[in-house]
Amino acid sequence: MLDALLLRGTHSAEMPLMEKITTHVLDTASGKPAVGVRIRLFHDDSPLADFTTNHDGRCDSPLITNPAAGRYQLVFSVGEYFRAQGVDSPFLDEVPIHFTVSPDQSYHIPLLCSPWSYSTYRGS
């Protein structure tokens, strides 16, 4: 029942809404989800989690639930991914994204990348 309430964006006092940080990675050179990208999450420069993207370019679970307020960083190992795709010398190696988390907020931070460029935004 909680999943259904979360999907509708509503919650009750008995079932608190769970804040989280999530991401996904799209390979804009191929037009496909980026499978097998290593993603590391840091809070105030301390490592918190290490994930690898699945067949849909997403992680199988949130990177963190109910994150504390503060400074966070995601590090995407895109050079490793593009070398595995046959790109001999991708321009990008690691893409760091620094962001600030406020209380009672969820964050979805997608990465759109090619061997030569990237873009990100705060999604929903």
Side-chain angles (χ1 to χ4, degrees):
M1 180 172 171
L2 179 58
D3 288 341
L5 291 172
L6 290 175
L7 289 174
R8 286 193 304 250
T10 61
H11 66 282
S12 69
E14 302 87 42
M15 291 188 222
L17 186 61
M18 177 179 63
E19 286 79 24
K20 59 191 173 197
I21 297 173
T22 58
T23 189
H24 72 275
V25 184
L26 297 175
D27 176 343
T28 58
S30 71
K32 298 178 182 177
V35 179
V37 175
R38 180 181 183 203
I39 303 169
R40 289 170 288 148
L41 176 67
F42 297 84
H43 179 238
D44 291 331
D45 299 322
S46 297
L48 290 181
D50 197 318
F51 288 87
T52 303
T53 57
N54 63 20
H55 70 281
D56 198 30
R58 299 176 184 272
C59 298
D60 290 329
S61 63
L63 304 178
I64 188 173
T65 56
N66 299 313
R71 297 175 331 140
Y72 286 79
Q73 178 184 23
L74 285 172
V75 179
F76 298 84
S77 297
V78 297
E80 188 177 288
Y81 164 78
F82 284 114
R83 280 188 289 280
Q85 303 307 306
V87 177
D88 289 332
S89 60
F91 173 68
L92 297 172
D93 187 36
E94 290 190 329
V95 174
I97 299 174
H98 300 264
F99 58 101
T100 302
V101 167
S102 298
D104 304 321
Q105 297 280 319
S106 283
Y107 294 82
H108 182 68
I109 304 163
L111 180 71
L112 289 71
C113 62
S114 77
W116 313 279
S117 66
Y118 70 92
S119 179
T120 190
Y121 57 93
R122 181 176 176 187
S124 57

